[in-house]
């Protein structure tokens, strides 16, 4: 993955980097190391992020999470007529593929209104606008074709050497989220909550090393003055690749009024793609659900065979990429089996392996524009959807 390649380059650097950094850069340019008041384990279940009343989040893949999925399923999937849900994976700037696909799907004319949408990492910000509908296709195009690395991240290498939490600060990315996830968006999300639809975003609670599912529609409908801020921070945290982006420290309020914090990072640290949806027991015996599950994988379907140079940067990069791909395969197969059990029609897509362009930086606008156009063509044609995630795995 390009993200890991860039990470390797920034960490290894040149032999003279340390000397030049200390000789020519002042400490005033370093981002401060944040101070923490971690929430005690005994209070973590009751703590309210930004004071927003709950329940607005759950540990992923727990009995409580499955219970909430049951409730969503019971409301939505017993209704007559066709149903559609969407799951969006991580992938950094590769999210341009999914963004373009949605716009192409709109142009094709048969894109459904999704009743449940889930997103992790780059899939988190796509999920917000995919959930709100095709009126936001232009927003996704802007986000994934107009913003370069320099606009989103500011280097903090010296700060990182001195103990800061990341190699960059992310004021540009924060500003992007604040620009597009505004009061109008939050109001529309709140309205969909009343219809029973659900938008779920995944982050990783790094203190607990566990995946968290955030019910963004419930946050929007909470009436809290901090609802918009919390939604923005959840999106930021979900895509905060550790080491590259700083983690997000979320203040939480305990039942006694005490304030602590939680550290959240990229949802892809624990899950690559997820879904909440129907279970077989919600359908009458012998009744076949008229329901479809679409899964957009913002990664190359199966990277080409490529011998690895015996260098620490390339070895580390390839090993990390392999770990992410293996996790993505496992998550995709779990979704496949859940869909099969529930009688869902599953359709999956990933970046075709024939796409061989290489990015020149973390967020390369030329590269992302090419990916966006590829996604648009895919969505417009409707030809790249496969029946099972197994079709996306490397050939044997």
């Amino acid at each position: 993955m390009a993200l890991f390649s860039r990470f390797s380059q920034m960490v290894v650097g040149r032999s003279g980097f340390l000397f030049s950094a200390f000789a020519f850069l002042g400490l005033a340019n370093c981002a401060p190391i944040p101070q923490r008041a971690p929430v005690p384990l005994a209070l973590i279940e009751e703590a309210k992020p930004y004071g927003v009343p709950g329940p607005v989040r759950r540990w992923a893949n727990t009995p409580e999470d499955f219970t909430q999925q049951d409730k969503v399923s019971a409301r939505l999937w017993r209704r007559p007529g066709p149903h559609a849900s969407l799951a969006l994976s991580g992938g950094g700037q590769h999210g341009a593929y999914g963004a373009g696909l949605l716009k192409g799907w709109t142009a094709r004319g048969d894109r459904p209104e999704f009743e449940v949408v889930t997103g992790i990492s780059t899939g988190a910000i796509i999920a917000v606008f995919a959930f709100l509908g095709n009126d936001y296709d232009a927003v996704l195009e802007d986000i994934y074709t107009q913003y370069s690395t320099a606009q989103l991240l500011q280097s903090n290498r010296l700060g990182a050497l001195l103990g800061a939490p990341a190699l960059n600060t992310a004021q540009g990315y924060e500003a992007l989220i604040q620009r597009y996830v505004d009061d109008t968006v939050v109001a529309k999300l709140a309205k969909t909550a009343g219809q029973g639809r659900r938008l779920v975003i995944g982050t990783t609670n790094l203190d607990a090393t566990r995946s968290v599912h955030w019910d963004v529609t419930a946050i929007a409908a909470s009436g809290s003055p901090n609802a918009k801020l919390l939604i923005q921070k959840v999106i930021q945290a979900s895509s905060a690749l550790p080491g590259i982006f700083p983690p997000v420290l979320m203040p939480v309020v305990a039942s006694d009024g005490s304030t602590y914090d939680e550290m959240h990072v990229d949802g892809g640290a624990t899950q690559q793609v997820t879904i909440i949806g129907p279970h077989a027991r919600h359908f009458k015996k012998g009744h076949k659900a008229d329901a479809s599950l679409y899964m957009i994988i913002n990664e190359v379907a199966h990277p080409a065979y490529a011998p690895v140079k015996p260098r620490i940067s390339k070895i580390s990069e390839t090993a990390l990429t392999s770990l992410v791909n293996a996790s993505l395969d496992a998550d995709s197969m779990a979704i496949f089996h859940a869909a099969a059990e529930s009688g869902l029609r599953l359709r999956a897509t990933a970046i075709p392996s024939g796409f061989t362009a290489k990015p020149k930086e973390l967020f390369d606008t030329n590269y992302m524009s090419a990916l966006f156009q590829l996604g648009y063509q895919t969505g417009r044609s409707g030809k790249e959807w496969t029946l099972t995630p197994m079709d996306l795995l490397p050939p044997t």
Side-chain angles (χ1 to χ4, degrees):
M1 292 172 62
L3 288 178
F4 291 123
S5 176
R6 183 64 174 168
F7 179 75
S8 309
Q9 295 168 18
M10 288 190 285
V11 171
V12 176
R14 296 181 179 179
S15 59
F17 172 70
L18 286 175
F19 174 78
S20 61
F22 283 108
F24 299 107
L25 293 179
L27 296 181
N29 292 326
C30 300
I33 299 172
Q35 300 301 307
R36 294 207 57 196
V39 58
L41 179 60
L43 301 177
I44 197 168
E45 299 292 344
E46 66 173 50
K48 296 179 174 58
Y50 284 96
V52 175
V56 296
R57 60 177 182 170
R58 304 171 304 281
W59 298 117
N61 302 324
T62 60
E64 293 77 16
D65 188 33
F66 293 132
T67 297
Q68 181 59 28
Q69 291 186 35
D70 288 347
K71 292 179 180 178
V72 172
S73 300
R75 286 195 300 267
L76 289 175
W77 302 87
R78 285 179 178 173
R79 298 176 184 173
H83 305 276
S85 57
L86 174 67
L88 293 145
S89 84
Q93 64 182 327
H94 293 146
Y97 173 76
L101 187 144
L102 287 165
K103 182 176 180 180
W105 199 352
T106 298
R108 179 180 170 83
D110 59 353
R111 175 177 158 184
E113 178 183 78
F114 301 111
E115 292 176 304
V116 179
V117 177
T118 63
I120 288 176
S121 196
T122 195
I125 195 161
I126 301 174
V128 173
F129 302 108
F131 183 74
L132 291 176
N134 52 27
D135 288 345
Y136 285 88
D137 287 350
V139 169
L140 284 174
E141 184 169 9
D142 281 349
I143 291 172
Y144 282 96
T145 63
Q146 301 300 315
Y147 291 89
S148 65
T149 308
Q151 292 171 287
L152 299 176
L153 298 174
Q154 295 71 48
S155 177
N156 186 37
R157 293 186 181 185
L158 181 56
L161 287 170
L162 298 177
L167 289 165
N168 304 280
T169 58
Q171 292 97 328
Y173 185 52
E174 289 183 61
L176 179 149
I177 296 172
Q178 291 165 5
R179 175 184 176 183
Y180 291 108
V181 184
D182 56 15
D183 290 331
T184 300
V185 164
V186 174
K188 289 182 177 180
L189 291 172
K191 184 177 180 180
T192 63
Q195 300 166 354
R197 298 171 62 208
R198 283 293 178 267
L199 169 63
V200 175
I201 288 176
T203 68
T204 297
N205 182 316
L206 203 57
D207 298 319
T209 62
R210 296 178 68 180
S211 181
V212 180
H213 284 168
W214 297 83
D215 187 336
V216 177
T217 34
I219 297 171
S222 68
S224 170
N226 288 330
K228 180 177 71 173
L229 177 59
L230 178 55
I231 292 171
Q232 292 170 343
K233 291 300 183 181
V234 167
I235 296 168
Q236 182 182 344
S238 183
S239 48
L241 181 68
I244 301 296
F245 288 78
V248 173
L249 288 181
M250 291 191 185
V252 297
V253 180
S255 57
D256 63 357
S258 301
T259 301
Y260 301 96
D261 64 61
E262 297 174 354
M263 181 180 286
H264 288 260
V265 298
D266 195 328
T270 44
Q271 280 188 303
Q272 300 302 314
V273 63
T274 189
I275 191 66
I276 65 170
H279 298 284
R281 61 183 173 276
H282 293 138
F283 304 116
K284 295 179 180 179
K285 188 174 182 180
H287 172 69
K288 184 174 178 59
D290 186 7
S292 299
L293 167 60
Y294 298 92
M295 184 163 57
I296 298 176
I297 304 299
N298 294 300
E299 290 288 4
V300 176
H302 41 85
Y305 173 82
V308 178
K309 293 181 179 180
R311 300 289 186 270
I312 185 172
S313 59
K314 292 301 297 181
I315 292 171
S316 300
E317 171 195 343
T318 307
L320 285 168
T321 300
S322 300
L323 179 63
V324 169
N325 287 344
S327 175
L328 181 56
D329 291 345
D331 290 341
S332 299
M333 289 306 300
I335 290 173
F336 165 70
H337 289 299
E341 178 187 359
S342 302
L344 281 168
R345 292 185 296 272
L346 176 64
R347 297 292 183 271
T349 185
I351 300 171
S353 56
F355 182 78
T356 57
K358 302 294 182 184
K360 295 181 179 179
E361 55 181 296
L362 272 173
F363 298 98
D364 181 336
T365 53
N366 291 329
Y367 178 81
M368 290 189 291
S369 294
L371 258 182
F372 186 92
Q373 288 304 315
L374 175 63
Y376 178 87
Q377 294 164 9
T378 300
R380 185 72 177 83
S381 69
K383 294 180 180 179
E384 294 295 332
W385 294 103
T386 68
L387 297 179
T388 78
M390 289 178 287
D391 296 326
L392 304 177
L393 300 180
T396 55

